[in-house]
Amino acid sequence: MNSGFLKLNILKTLYWHFRLKLPRLACLCIFPKSIVRIDRSAIVNLDKANMNINVSWVKGRARRDVAELTVSRNCKFSVDGNFSMYQGACIHVAEGAELRIGSNSFINTNSVINCFEHIEIGGNVAISDNVSISDSDSHSVVYNGEVCNNTSPVIIEDHVWIGKNAIILKGVTIGKDSIVAAGSVVTKSVPSGCLVGGVPACIIKKEINWE
C-alpha cells in the first residue's frame, strides 16, 4: 500500500464516501487537518473524481495549516478527474452557486477559491501558493445612488498557470495556455497564450505556452 494512504483520516474519508454515495471508481481522500462541510441539498458530482484534501506535495512536510471545503445549500459542485487541494487550501461554494473543476488541476498551499455565483476551472490548471480567486466583491458598491453588480462569473480555461500571490477578480476569463505572473492582480480577461503580470495585470508576452 502507498504510504501516503496510511496518513489519511480514514473515518472522515469513509464517512464522506458513504454520505455522498460515491461510486467504486471515485476517490475522495481526506487527510488530517481537513474541514469538510457539504450540505445535503447540494448537488455534488464526484463520480469521476480522484480528489485529495489537504495533501502534502513535499514528502515528510508537517501539516501546519487546515484545509477547508465548504459546499453550501442548493449549490452545485463537480470535479471531473484528478484534483488536489494542498495544505491549507480553502474552497467555499456559497448558497446557490456553482463551481466546476476539470481534471489534473490543483490548488496549492493556502490558496482560496470563493465562489458566490459561478466559477469554472478547466483541466491541467496549476494554481500556486497564496492565490485568491473570487467571483464577487463580497460587498456592494453604490454609485450615483445605484447598487453596482457585485458578482460576475470567473472562467479559467485549460492549461493555465497562476503564479504565487496572484489575485483573480470577478468577471475575468483567463484563456487557454496563459500564465499569470506571481503577485498579479487580474481585473480584466486574458486572451489565450498570453503572459500577464502587474497591478493591474497587463499583457507582457503573446503566443506563449508553458510546461
Side-chain angles (χ1 to χ4, degrees):
M1 181 181 288
N2 187 324
S3 61
F5 286 99
L6 298 176
K7 299 176 182 177
L8 279 175
N9 186 320
I10 299 295
L11 291 178
K12 276 190 178 181
T13 296
L14 290 174
Y15 171 80
W16 284 107
H17 268 259
F18 283 110
R19 163 77 185 277
L20 297 173
K21 298 179 181 178
L22 296 180
R24 237 174 120 184
L25 296 179
C27 185
L28 176 61
C29 297
I30 302 174
F31 289 83
K33 291 194 174 182
S34 298
I35 296 172
V36 179
R37 303 185 190 93
I38 301 176
D39 192 86
R40 291 184 182 275
S41 66
I43 298 173
V44 178
N45 184 359
L46 302 177
D47 291 355
K48 298 179 182 179
N50 180 14
M51 182 174 177
N52 300 304
I53 301 177
N54 214 27
V55 68
S56 176
W57 63 274
V58 177
K59 188 176 180 180
R61 184 178 183 182
R63 287 180 178 81
R64 299 181 301 275
D65 300 308
V66 174
E68 184 174 353
L69 172 66
T70 301
V71 182
S72 305
R73 294 180 59 216
N74 301 318
C75 66
K76 297 179 181 178
F77 175 65
S78 63
V79 176
D80 183 13
N82 299 327
F83 175 67
S84 290
M85 295 172 61
Y86 286 97
Q87 293 188 40
C90 294
I91 292 176
H92 176 254
V93 189
E95 183 173 352
E98 180 177 13
L99 173 61
R100 298 194 302 191
I101 300 172
S103 184
N104 297 317
S105 296
F106 65 82
I107 173 174
N108 219 324
T109 306
N110 295 325
S111 288
V112 177
I113 298 174
N114 285 317
C115 178
F116 292 88
E117 180 182 336
H118 187 93
I119 294 178
E120 293 182 32
I121 296 173
N124 298 294
V125 173
I127 299 172
S128 192
D129 299 17
N130 302 306
V131 170
S132 174
I133 301 171
S134 181
D135 60 356
S136 174
D137 297 328
S138 299
H139 299 277
S140 297
V141 175
V142 180
Y143 180 70
N144 286 338
E146 294 186 3
V147 179
C148 300
N149 183 21
N150 70 343
T151 62
S152 187
V154 170
I155 298 174
I156 300 172
E157 296 181 356
D158 294 342
H159 197 243
V160 169
W161 175 14
I162 301 177
K164 188 172 183 175
N165 296 316
I167 299 174
I168 314 298
L169 297 180
K170 69 175 188 180
V172 165
T173 295
I174 301 178
K176 182 179 179 182
D177 299 328
S178 289
I179 301 171
V180 177
S184 301
V185 178
V186 184
T187 61
K188 296 181 180 179
S189 293
V190 177
S192 297
C194 287
L195 167 64
V196 299
V199 183
C202 59
I203 295 174
I204 298 172
K205 290 183 180 179
K206 297 181 178 181
E207 298 181 2
I208 58 95
N209 207 327
W210 63 278
E211 297 178 354

